[in-house]
Amino acid sequence: MLMRVMICVFPVPAHLMPLVPFAWALQSAGHDVCVASPPGYPSGVAVPDFARVVNAAGLTAVPCGEPAPLSIHDMAYPGYADLLPTREESESYVDALGIRDKKDRDAWDAFYHFALLTIRDYHPPEPRPDIGALVEFARSWEPDLVLWEPWFPAGAIAAGVAGAAHARILISPDSTAWAHERCVAAGRTSLLAEAMRPLAERYGLAVDDELLFGDWTVDPNLPGLRLPTAVPTVPARFVPYTGAAVRQEWLDTPPERPRVAVSLGSSGREFLKGDWGRTAKLMEAVADLDIEVVATLNANQLEDVPDGVPANVRVVEYVPLDQLLPSCAATINHGSYGTFMASVAKRVPQLICDTDEPARLYGTATDAGIDWEFQCEKAQYASTTSAYVTECGAGVRLNHQVQSPSEIRELLGAVLEETSYREGARSLHEEWLTLPSPAGIVPRLEELTALHRAGKARN
């Protein structure tokens, strides 16, 4: 059976990229695939003209509604102040849920301070016109299957209205299901369920586990990074899609010295100035080594290095990691999930930048707007990925706040010289290979769609 498949995603490249290989796999099997989302907005969180990003990936875009400010980040919802993340609310849940160890606290912080805030942007108490347009597109197009990522659960509402089977595709460890189950077990209100309730009730849908987590979940996390939940899953391989570009000729010449990639993220570099002194320290650390460094950094990230980079560093603002990493002996990166998995896929040892502070975001409404408190100098998932790389012997953790350039230089030298790190990266790569590819799970998605769609009625 050929299917119509509608993919729903928060309009930002970092959320789309992990889904692209699954969309390609479904298209290659003959299924009709589209990506439906709000058109985006120049807020620094969502991006404008998101359809262009979708089209650049070779996919069909369906922009739903008109560009509109985000409900919380852009203060477009009249009651936005009540939906900002606060220290008091977060800590009350931490106490009630009995969260004690660091792994659990990191999972809670990922849900409350980032995923929930982003969910509220498009799912405020008063439903948004662009989300209404998305639901109406699903009603008229009648997809057989809706795939959605956990930070944009409007896809579940669209599926319920259209009578479609639906499933989540995780883009990181499943903090949303984990947090919901912890809340239910502790007898506390599920913040995820409450965020979804107004939109669900508007369309006469029950706020149950099926709505919140799909008929099933596609889980492309490595087994050791999965959070314990009761949701039914289809394991899959996280195949990194890192964009497309004309291949640069210098990549075709094998490096004469060990090549090291430095990649510190793209999501925030367009609006964040500087890099907390991290880039300057890294540049000083690599300056005296007999290596070739390729740094994918833009002007904002290089603001802390006003006198220029060392002679052994080539700065390239953008090159797809799947083009660059195969020639690299190591990568120094910021620990985001996509960059971490790209390194795993290319069997490259990693030095992941992390710090000892928590990644938490608080907001206070003022007469001048929102006063954001976000002081940590690391990526959201840096602690998770650095701990896993270290545990697997596939790399080391860097902390620019406490380590000197000479200490960083010694760690990089060890990763390049000691065979154990290459063996660890190879083992991690082999674990990744044991998971079925996006193309490999297409028959299972077809079976589950037929099973779950049977008997579903359109709303």
Side-chain angles (χ1 to χ4, degrees), residues 135-164:
V135 173
E136 291 308 312
F137 170 74
R139 193 198 300 272
S140 63
W141 197 56
E142 298 184 0
D144 300 288
L145 171 64
V146 176
L147 298 173
W148 50 279
E149 53 97 356
W151 292 29
F152 192 72
I157 306 293
V161 170

Side-chain angles (χ1 to χ4, degrees), residues 266-316:
S266 60
S267 295
R269 69 183 191 175
E270 299 305 322
F271 54 90
L272 290 177
K273 297 292 185 181
D275 189 50
W276 315 302
R278 179 175 62 180
T279 300
K281 188 170 282 189
L282 292 176
M283 293 299 101
E284 184 178 348
V286 304
D288 298 328
L289 293 175
D290 187 24
I291 60 175
E292 173 192 332
V293 178
V294 179
T296 59
L297 305 173
N298 73 352
N300 284 351
Q301 291 168 308
L302 290 168
E303 192 173 81
D304 295 339
V305 196
D307 297 329
V309 300
N312 63 341
V313 176
R314 179 198 297 262
V315 175
V316 184

Side-chain angles (χ1 to χ4, degrees), residues 123 125 157 189-203 205-208 211-212:
H123 306 79
I157 306 293
T189 298
S190 166
L191 296 172
L192 174 64
E194 289 308 298
M196 293 303 298
R197 193 173 304 282
L199 188 62
E201 291 180 346
R202 177 175 183 174
Y203 292 100
L205 300 174
V207 183
D208 54 17
L211 179 88
L212 296 177

Side-chain angles (χ1 to χ4, degrees), residues 83-103:
L83 300 176
L84 291 169
T86 66
R87 191 182 310 274
E88 293 73 22
E89 183 177 47
S90 179
E91 295 305 319
S92 72
Y93 270 85
V94 167
D95 290 342
L97 274 51
I99 294 173
R100 298 291 181 266
D101 66 50
K102 186 179 187 306
K103 186 174 182 180

